[in-house]
Amino acid sequence: MSHFLVALALVALTAWALTLKGGVIGIVFVAALLYLAYKRLSLLAYTTTFGVLLVAYSVIGEPAGLWKGFLWLLFATLALINVVPLRQRLLTRPFMRIYRRMLPAMSSTEREALEAGTVWWDGELFTGKPNWSKLLGAKTPVLTAEEQAFLDGPCEELCRMVDDFDITHRRGDMPPEVWDFLKRKGFFAMIIQKKYGGLEFSAYAHSCVLAKLSTRSATVSSTVAVPNSLGPGELLQHYGTEDQKNHYLPRLACGEDIPCFALTGPRAGSDAASLPDFGIVCRGQWQGREIIGLRLNFSKRYITLAPVATVIGLAFRMFDPDRLLGGKNDLGISCALIPRETAGITIGRRHFPLNVPFQNGPIQGRDVFVPLDFIIGGPAMAGQGWRMLVEQLSVGRCISLPSSGTGGGKAAVFATGAYARIRRQFNMPIGKFEGIESVIARMVGLTYTMDAARSVTAGAIDGGEKPSVPSAMLKYHVTEMSRQVANDAMDVHGGKGICLGPRNYLGRGYQVVPVAITVEGANILTRSLIIFGQGAIRCHPYVLKEMEAARNPDRVQGVRDFDDALLGHVGFTLSNAVRSLIMALTNARFTAAPVDGPVARYYQHIVRFSASFAFAVDVAMLSLGGYLKKKENLSSRLGDVLSCMYLASMVLKHYENQGRRPEDLPIVEWACRNLLYKAQEQLHGFLRNFPNRFLGGVMRFLIFPRGLQYSAPDDRLGRTLAELVLAPGAVRDRLCYPVYRRVEAGNALGLLQEVLEMAEQAETLEKRLRVEGVKTGRVTALDLPGQIEEGERTGLLSRDEAAWLRNYDRKVMDLIHVDDFAPHELGTNGKPRLRVDAAVQEQNELFV
């Protein structure tokens, strides 16, 4: 409130400065106070400066009058507000009562989700003045010698073993030798500690392995990702009892046990509070004796690895109606670990997710009785399941899907760049057409953005962070960028991409994209409810403090804490309003940047958007209160702005991590321009749709006083990006690392790279045939093989040149050709049948 009065004084003094003869003093006055707001000095500094300048104005400026009396009244008010007991009684307590009524209701699951993980760079972006040293000072993620050897050895060997068409079309599963290799080489044990027989890899190494496998087979990468993500292994290491760890972790590490985790069901997906699966604490028989245990009833679906799992992680609501544990009836969500062979479990049937046959299926349980010791962490962890899940999800969601999506993007760029160079139409590579150049440029820029977000955030995890809000950003934006890259690759390839068969290297990756969009929190929900909804409370420097103070049962301490938070919050908002206006007017040219050179401007622009974003968030939360939670389109746009700033920061940090290579600069520029333009457009959309038109107008004046200044990357820059991947080179190799690129039969990526390296010489020979042969009439054949033959006969090509060009053309045509099948090779034998097992039917009826 005190800062609000300062703001009123600034408005009044600005008017005076423009109209009175003492305008110079007034301008100095206003500039000084604006500077204090920009620098976020304290209320006492505001008041002192106001008083000093007001004395100077009274002595030097216009004669005394009503106006000067008003200014002295403002100063007196500010001075009184500095008296803490008076401020708390007259301002803080009344506002605190209003604030309590504005607070939205919060369920226990929401509260646990908010408390999960840590606040990292996302918190800095909420400040309006991010501390770049926190990001740039983070260690560059690197692989250890052991991790690099695994990537170059077992990973490479696994990729060589995989025939994705055989997996997806003929078998509907990975062959036994691949399953055995995964178990023997520890692919299911990357996150398990070495003392239990695991590999204990860093998050970055874990991410690199998944990215590499994703360039070869989505089925293999999904199968490897799940045991190393949110599931029994992760939960046991953090929350399991010593007996549970010693029993299960060595078995999981060697592949003797295959885990799955069952959370989602037909009636409750992302809404964990509505989970209908339940366990009742009761007495029952276990191995010939009566014990206190749990009788479980559940119906789950979409559970990856369920059909082959030997041990099931289960999330359920736990009740103790007879108070056998001595506490309350509803104990909340719990997690248990249950062997597959336990009586009452129905398991083994499979879902078929978009023709990509990773093991996925339903699990049902009817009156499944297990000991309380099956709860992960034992009976002491009863009711702690949701907290356990969201804490670990903040890490797992940063790795599995972002790594797979990035790997898919790298493979698509690697293949499309080569294909667009060797595929010719109208006597030129299709990659030289502007329309295709722009598409390839987008693929390159988005893939660099995905890789930057993946690697830098994985490095933060290795540094001890559990970035819950960034995990939601990466889940949504990386999978959406991966979808765009897959669509673009398919557009460039045309008929080559849509005909499935052993020669098709895009189709299954294209088909599996919606799976990533759907799992671990559907993207629509993640964007509209989680990114901003969680970030606004968790990352804001004051909101969570205010909420905790308002709910503090100790009223005296609550008022003190609320007063501190409120005072800081008001000054924070006004400072961001001033910072937003000044940086918008100056285009952030005078904002400090942590580095010099061509990327410095992007640091400045991110700081500008940080201030504008923080100001808009505060206005929205203050004016809409709990209603903002229901205005999902508004919060989605604010979440997009936050995400664009985060991703642009990751791009800049990734550029630093890779040694600020000048040849990478065009990609960095494209990525940052693209993200800043999107941030501007989403902020513009937020202002256009803000329900309070007056406040929307005020925000627009302070955020965009010069209008919309940012534009998308231009065509010239896009052409440069396309050229970087249309030819062999260090930038292409660095961008697409670690794709599986071995030159061998069955690996299209390696074969494409091989002919790409031959393309320049081939184009020279083809041009000679065209210019000196076809145009002069010495060569009349319509196809290239005929032209080569005539060119050799007429002396345009030497024997060696003709042989080399024939070999090149054969390799190219082998890659361009698509598969065809005899009628009996497609379809199924007999009519497909859909059935519902009796046990499944009975289980479904249980929940009606």
Side-chain angles (χ1 to χ4, degrees):
M1 184 65 69
S2 57
H3 295 291
F4 176 70
L5 294 175
V6 172
L8 287 178
L10 292 177
V11 173
L13 287 168
T14 301
W16 162 75
L18 295 174
T19 57
L20 300 180
K21 294 180 180 179
V24 174
I25 300 175
I27 291 172
V28 172
F29 197 148
V30 172
L33 293 179
L34 284 173
Y35 178 79
L36 291 175
Y38 188 90
K39 290 296 185 180
R40 296 184 177 170
L41 298 188
S42 66
L43 172 64
L44 183 60
Y46 272 115
T47 307
T48 303
T49 304
F50 193 103
V52 170
L53 293 177
L54 187 56
V55 168
Y57 168 53
S58 298
V59 174
I60 304 172
E62 299 292 322
L66 183 61
W67 179 252
K68 191 172 293 186
F70 172 71
L71 295 178
W72 277 105
L73 179 62
L74 279 179
F75 172 71
T77 305
L78 285 173
L80 290 174
I81 289 174
N82 277 273
V83 182
V84 176
L86 185 64
R87 181 179 71 237
Q88 290 180 354
R89 180 177 179 181
L90 297 180
L91 298 177
T92 304
R93 289 179 185 274
F95 189 80
M96 189 174 176
R97 287 192 291 269
I98 298 171
Y99 183 83
R100 285 199 185 104
R101 293 195 295 269
M102 293 172 62
L103 272 180
M106 185 180 297
S107 67
S108 60
T109 55
E110 288 178 307
R111 184 177 299 107
E112 288 171 345
L114 281 174
E115 294 170 354
T118 60
V119 177
W120 182 55
W121 184 246
D122 45 322
E124 290 295 321
L125 295 172
F126 259 92
T127 66
K129 190 180 179 181
N131 178 10
W132 289 106
S133 63
K134 183 173 183 178
L135 177 64
L136 298 180
K139 289 180 62 176
T140 299
V142 293
L143 298 175
T144 65
E146 179 186 6
E147 292 166 345
Q148 187 67 59
F150 187 86
L151 198 65
D152 296 338
C155 268
E156 190 81 1
E157 187 176 350
L158 175 60
C159 290
R160 190 162 55 248
M161 296 171 64
V162 169
D163 180 343
D164 199 47
F165 185 73
D166 179 61
I167 290 172
T168 58
H169 184 74
R170 299 190 186 102
R171 295 177 180 272
D173 191 10
M174 298 184 301
E177 59 270 20
V178 171
W179 277 105
D180 181 64
F181 187 83
L182 292 174
K183 295 174 183 179
R184 286 190 294 106
K185 296 299 183 179
F187 280 88
F188 295 155
M190 288 190 287
I191 64 170
I192 295 177
Q193 295 172 338
K194 289 183 178 180
K195 65 181 179 180
Y196 298 111
L199 299 177
E200 200 173 347
F201 279 174
S202 65
Y204 180 62
H206 175 190
S207 175
C208 289
V209 169
L210 293 180
K212 186 178 184 73
L213 297 182
S214 297
T215 69
R216 187 64 167 149
S217 170
T219 303
V220 175
S221 65
S222 298
T223 302
V224 172
V226 169
N228 291 290
S229 183
L230 178 64
E234 184 84 348
L235 295 173
L236 282 170
Q237 288 196 120
H238 288 87
Y239 309 106
T241 65
E242 288 304 312
D243 286 343
Q244 290 172 339
K245 293 178 183 178
N246 292 329
H247 174 74
Y248 279 114
L249 289 177
R251 296 165 63 91
L252 292 171
C254 70
E256 183 178 351
D257 271 332
I258 300 294
C260 70
F261 192 82
L263 173 62
T264 303
R267 297 185 179 277
S270 303
D271 183 9
S274 300
L275 197 69
D277 311 291
F278 60 90
I280 303 295
V281 179
C282 61
R283 298 183 184 275
Q285 293 294 317
W286 180 259
Q287 297 179 347
R289 61 189 183 91
E290 184 178 88
I291 63 168
I292 296 177
L294 284 166
R295 192 169 303 281
L296 298 160
N297 287 276
F298 54 89
S299 178
K300 303 290 190 178
R301 64 179 180 182
Y302 310 146
I303 310 305
T304 299
L305 293 183
V308 296
T310 61
V311 60
I312 303 161
L314 180 71
F316 60 94
R317 289 286 296 276
M318 185 171 171
F319 297 93
D320 183 14
D322 297 329
R323 305 298 197 276
L324 296 178
L325 301 181
K328 56 186 179 179
N329 174 33
D330 187 352
L331 297 175
I333 296 173
S334 300
C335 295
L337 214 52
I338 305 170
R340 179 192 184 101
E341 65 273 9
T342 305
I345 292 178
T346 301
I347 190 172
R349 289 181 62 79
R350 295 179 62 181
H351 300 310
F352 192 28
L354 290 175
N355 273 346
V356 181
F358 58 91
Q359 294 285 339
N360 184 279
I363 308 175
Q364 291 84 27
R366 178 70 181 267
D367 291 335
V368 179
F369 185 79
V370 297
L372 291 174
D373 288 341
F374 279 23
I375 297 173
I376 295 176
M381 293 300 288
Q384 299 298 309
W386 185 243
R387 179 178 65 83
M388 293 158 57
L389 293 174
V390 293
E391 284 180 353
Q392 298 314 308
L393 188 63
S394 64
V395 173
R397 194 161 54 179
C398 276
I399 298 174
S400 298
L401 292 174
S403 302
S404 299
T406 302
K410 287 171 177 281
V413 169
F414 194 77
T416 304
Y419 182 83
R421 178 69 180 271
I422 67 171
R423 176 66 166 150
R424 301 178 68 85
Q425 296 286 279
F426 307 103
N427 291 320
M428 64 185 293
I430 63 172
K432 299 296 185 180
F433 290 90
E434 278 198 356
I436 291 179
E437 276 182 344
S438 65
V439 170
I440 294 177
R442 181 168 60 214
M443 295 175 67
V444 171
L446 294 182
T447 299
Y448 189 93
T449 304
M450 289 190 284
D451 198 31
R454 171 196 71 89
S455 60
V456 176
T457 307
I461 294 171
D462 290 328
E465 299 291 343
K466 294 183 177 180
S468 56
V469 176
S471 75
M473 294 183 206
L474 264 64
K475 194 280 165 181
Y476 173 77
H477 288 281
V478 172
T479 56
E480 289 293 344
M481 286 188 281
S482 178
R483 169 152 62 179
Q484 181 65 63
V485 170
N487 287 341
D488 287 342
M490 191 65 74
D491 287 350
V492 174
H493 280 76
K496 171 65 181 176
I498 65 174
C499 293
L500 290 176
R503 298 172 186 265
N504 189 308
Y505 46 85
L506 287 181
R508 296 305 187 194
Y510 177 82
Q511 285 181 309
V512 80
V513 166
V515 175
I517 300 296
T518 300
V519 300
E520 291 190 5
N523 274 13
I524 293 176
L525 175 143
T526 300
R527 176 175 180 258
S528 54
L529 293 179
I530 297 178
I531 295 175
F532 178 75
Q534 188 174 354
I537 296 175
R538 189 66 199 277
C539 300
H540 195 287
Y542 296 104
V543 168
L544 189 58
K545 295 176 183 178
E546 291 166 342
M547 293 176 66
E548 291 172 345
R551 292 184 171 125
N552 191 339
D554 184 342
R555 293 299 180 91
V556 176
Q557 187 60 45
V559 169
R560 291 173 183 164
D561 294 342
F562 191 81
D563 179 70
D564 290 340
L566 179 63
L567 190 68
H569 195 163
V570 174
F572 174 80
T573 303
L574 291 173
S575 172
N576 281 324
V578 172
R579 291 176 61 82
S580 175
L581 177 63
I582 292 175
M583 285 189 282
L585 290 172
T586 62
N587 202 21
R589 290 191 177 277
F590 305 106
T591 303
V595 300
D596 297 323
V599 298
R601 291 290 290 141
Y602 300 119
Y603 287 93
Q604 293 174 321
H605 291 315
I606 292 171
V607 174
R608 177 208 164 169
F609 272 112
S610 176
S612 298
F613 167 76
F615 171 61
V617 167
D618 281 335
V619 173
M621 295 178 73
L622 179 63
S623 60
L624 299 179
Y627 186 58
L628 181 59
K629 187 177 179 180
K630 297 180 179 179
K631 299 294 289 181
E632 294 176 18
N633 288 336
L634 291 181
S635 60
S636 294
R637 293 185 180 101
L638 288 174
D640 287 344
V641 178
L642 176 62
S643 299
C644 287
M645 292 189 294
Y646 181 87
L647 292 172
S649 302
M650 298 300 101
V651 167
L652 294 171
K653 171 61 173 169
H654 188 58
Y655 179 62
E656 294 292 325
N657 287 348
Q658 293 198 323
R660 304 185 74 181
R661 300 173 187 267
E663 58 270 29
D664 290 346
L665 191 57
I667 310 180
V668 174
E669 183 177 355
W670 191 99
C672 288
R673 284 183 176 275
N674 176 59
L675 291 164
L676 291 169
Y677 174 71
K678 287 183 176 179
Q680 170 189 266
E681 293 304 298
Q682 292 302 94
L683 199 49
H684 171 59
F686 167 81
L687 296 174
R688 283 190 63 196
N689 291 277
F690 197 74
N692 187 315
R693 303 309 302 158
F694 172 75
L695 288 179
V698 172
M699 285 191 286
R700 181 173 296 280
F701 169 74
L702 294 171
I703 294 173
F704 295 122
R706 296 172 55 183
L708 306 181
Q709 296 178 277
Y710 294 90
S711 58
D714 60 31
D715 296 342
R716 182 181 303 176
L717 183 59
R719 184 177 303 113
T720 301
L721 262 65
E723 290 171 350
L724 291 174
V725 296
L726 286 169
V731 175
R732 173 182 161 88
D733 291 344
R734 194 160 46 247
L735 175 66
C736 297
Y737 180 82
V739 298
Y740 179 65
R741 54 187 294 175
R742 181 182 292 269
V743 179
E744 62 185 6
N747 182 25
L749 296 187
L751 298 174
L752 282 164
Q753 179 67 17
E754 180 187 32
V755 296
L756 178 63
E757 293 171 358
M758 301 169 68
E760 186 173 356
Q761 182 179 347
E763 289 168 359
T764 301
L765 296 177
E766 289 177 15
K767 183 178 180 181
R768 188 193 306 168
L769 283 174
R770 188 169 59 254
V771 174
E772 300 180 26
V774 176
K775 290 187 177 181
T776 63
R778 296 169 65 188
V779 173
T780 59
L782 298 178
D783 63 337
L784 184 58
Q787 291 173 355
I788 295 172
E789 183 177 347
E790 293 183 14
E792 182 181 7
R793 189 167 60 245
T794 59
L796 288 175
L797 297 177
S798 69
R799 178 183 298 178
D800 289 343
E801 288 174 331
W804 187 92
L805 192 55
R806 286 191 189 98
N807 182 48
Y808 170 79
D809 183 59
R810 178 186 57 79
K811 291 177 181 293
V812 168
M813 294 312 297
D814 282 345
L815 287 164
I816 290 176
H817 277 312
V818 298
D819 298 285
D820 52 73
F821 302 89
H824 71 273
E825 294 180 281
L826 300 176
T828 59
N829 295 323
K831 295 181 180 179
R833 294 178 299 159
L834 294 177
R835 68 181 180 85
V836 179
D837 285 346
V840 178
Q841 180 95 29
E842 185 179 11
Q843 185 63 35
N844 288 339
E845 291 172 356
L846 177 68
F847 290 97
V848 174

